[in-house]
Amino acid sequence: MPAPTVELVREALAKVNDPEIKRPITDLGMVDDIIVDGASITARILLTVAGCPMKERLTRDVTQAIAAVAPDADISVELGVMTDEQRKTMQTNLRGGQAQKEIPFSQPGSLTKVFAIASGKGGVGKSSVTVNLAMAMANRGLKVGLVDADIYGHSIPDMLGVGDSRPTQVEDMIMPVPVPTPSGTDIRVISIGMLKPRKDQVVAWRGPMLDRALVQMLADVYWGDLDVLLLDLPPGTGDMAISLGQHLANAEVVVVTTPQPAAATVAERAGTMASMLHQRVVGVVENMSYLDTGSETGAGQRLEIFGSGGAQQVAATLSERFGYEVPVLGEIPLDPRLREGGDSGQPIVATHPDTAAAQALQEVADRLTGRSRGLAGMQLGLSPAGR
Ligand code: ADP
């Protein structure tokens, strides 16, 4: 192995990504100095902000990267903090040279698929479906961002086990909170709840404030390259849905309902609202479809606790109203493990991938991202709407 040089060490550090921004620290201007003095190597690394929660991981990654090219060296890592000027330069670089903030997902040529998850009313499992879709997409190796815009619930961070995390802020740029997944690809999460000074604070979000919060979550957050962005909308047809329609007309909408006719009727309204805002409704997910009393023994009965046919009703009505097919994307059964997974911050698709609920959610995710086998090969137990 050649004797370590500053150049060699710099090359090694180019392989270290900032844990939050996910770009090489050499590109971000975080490598302030490299000193090679005989067998001792010192790397001086600048954190984006003081008290950066990732500093231990960064120190470890830097040490490992240097040790890979200089195994016998005596390595030390010194941490400093960027000046305001250095942070501004980094921010401009990250925005591709643009000083002005803009929503990357609404730009022509954006390769990110955007799905807004809507429901007519609360409690139908919209947030549970959203976190599981995010996890299912990450399972396929996709880079997934998740915006929790549900002003009433904002339960997404708890459902993903990051309820106490706050995003790191670099100047006016916010780093999404990374959620590790079994596939090794982090889900990047931001929640409207994280924009409040304190978690337990009650905020009466109104139209203009909501609009600002939504734009902040889309434009001020450094999302990096995403394959998919999921947005968990508040239930109903309120101001947030209108703001989303204005800022992200290209978002495709997924409507979540239960089988109950009353739930289905309000879900149709949420779908119609999306269409009025020129968004395409890509399909309907029926949650809490049935309870398989023998899901563990295999000798059970299918109990339709909330009745049946809700999603098919919504899909048929919306298909007729819009003149294009709005399919039922999947039927998710009731499963206590799904609820427990939400409470403990571990989505069922990650912890119990073999359950019927997890498989149905994975199939919905695959259909949305174009990875499914198509309707022909799917066992949804129902026929596509409009036939
Ligand atoms: P919403 O976002 O529509 O208000 P949530 O996702 O918060 O609804 O779900 C409401 C409650 O129902 C949560 O406690 C959740 O764990 C539970 N839940 C949702 N879907 C299921 C399901 N398929 N099986 C069991 N419990 C579920």
Side-chain angles (χ1 to χ4, degrees):
M1 203 168 270
T5 59
V6 170
E7 254 338 286
L8 195 71
V9 174
R10 185 171 292 281
E11 271 169 38
L13 292 183
K15 299 196 184 95
V16 177
N17 280 348
D18 177 84
E20 286 180 303
I21 309 178
K22 311 215 183 290
R23 290 274 183 90
I25 54 173
T26 42
D27 290 357
L28 296 172
M30 292 171 67
V31 179
D32 189 34
D33 205 1
I34 298 165
I35 304 154
V36 179
D37 182 8
S40 93
I41 299 176
T42 306
R44 193 174 148 74
I45 305 295
L46 297 179
L47 301 172
T48 49
V49 281
C52 167
M54 299 286 175
K55 64 183 171 199
E56 265 132 46
R57 179 157 162 204
L58 195 58
T59 306
R60 197 190 57 217
D61 292 353
V62 165
T63 310
Q64 280 174 358
I66 300 176
V69 293
D72 302 325
D74 177 14
I75 302 163
S76 51
V77 178
E78 286 177 10
L79 298 179
V81 180
M82 284 187 174
T83 61
D84 290 351
E85 203 50 44
Q86 286 167 323
R87 262 196 296 272
K88 283 212 180 84
T89 310
M90 181 187 82
Q91 234 181 316
T92 313
N93 285 344
L94 285 174
R95 289 202 185 110
Q98 258 151 350
Q100 196 60 37
K101 276 180 275 179
E102 53 188 20
I103 298 176
F105 313 109
S106 58
Q107 300 307 307
S110 165
L111 296 175
T112 307
K113 268 180 162 262
V114 183
F115 296 108
I117 318 297
S119 69
K121 61 180 193 118
V124 298
K126 173 180 51 62
S127 303
S128 307
V129 167
T130 308
V131 292
N132 277 289
L133 290 181
M135 190 57 83
M137 290 172 182
N139 270 346
R140 299 285 191 244
L142 295 174
K143 284 179 263 161
V144 183
L146 177 41
V147 172
D148 175 11
D150 187 346
I151 33 169
Y152 307 112
H154 47 79
S155 51
I156 295 278
D158 283 331
M159 287 184 170
L160 287 171
V162 291
D164 294 322
S165 303
R166 306 292 295 183
T168 308
Q169 194 157 352
V170 182
E171 296 286 306
D172 56 354
M173 188 179 264
I174 302 168
M175 299 302 152
V177 172
V179 176
T181 71
S183 72
T185 329
D186 291 344
I187 299 172
R188 301 171 206 176
V189 180
I190 205 81
S191 167
I192 194 157
M194 294 172 181
L195 305 182
K196 299 187 298 189
R198 282 195 340 269
K199 192 182 169 186
D200 57 356
Q201 193 178 29
V202 178
V203 178
W205 299 95
R206 286 161 189 272
M209 230 172 118
L210 272 184
D211 193 79
R212 224 174 306 131
L214 180 69
V215 171
Q216 206 181 356
M217 290 192 287
L218 295 170
D220 291 1
V221 171
Y222 176 68
W223 290 106
D225 295 329
L226 291 182
D227 297 307
V228 184
L229 180 76
L230 297 175
L231 289 117
D232 187 29
L233 292 183
T237 50
D239 289 339
M240 186 60 97
I242 297 175
S243 283
L244 184 71
Q246 281 163 353
H247 296 294
L248 273 183
N250 58 328
E252 297 183 299
V253 174
V254 176
V255 177
V256 180
T257 185
T258 63
Q260 242 173 329
T265 309
V266 289
E268 282 162 23
R269 263 181 247 147
T272 303
M273 172 86 168
S275 177
M276 279 161 57
L277 296 164
H278 307 292
Q279 293 166 326
R280 189 179 171 88
V281 179
V282 277
V284 184
V285 173
E286 186 172 274
N287 187 34
M288 311 190 183
S289 287
Y290 61 92
L291 177 71
D292 180 356
T293 57
S295 61
E296 267 136 51
T297 59
Q301 256 186 305
R302 184 179 156 119
L303 294 183
E304 292 179 335
I305 312 234
F306 292 112
S308 66
Q312 269 168 302
Q313 178 192 320
V314 178
T317 307
L318 296 183
S319 300
E320 198 184 308
R321 227 171 257 177
F322 306 156
Y324 59 79
E325 196 196 336
V326 179
V328 176
L329 296 167
E331 283 183 314
I332 322 297
L334 277 159
D335 190 323
R337 290 164 290 189
L338 194 154
R339 202 255 320 137
E340 284 156 19
D343 291 346
S344 67
Q346 296 187 314
I348 191 170
V349 292
T351 54
H352 297 89
D354 297 333
T355 54
Q359 287 185 358
L361 286 157
Q362 184 72 54
E363 281 182 9
V364 173
D366 289 347
R367 284 189 76 178
L368 289 173
T369 53
R371 277 153 203 264
S372 78
R373 292 158 285 144
L375 273 174
M378 292 187 72
Q379 293 171 349
L380 294 177
L382 38 84
S383 54
R387 296 219 180 144

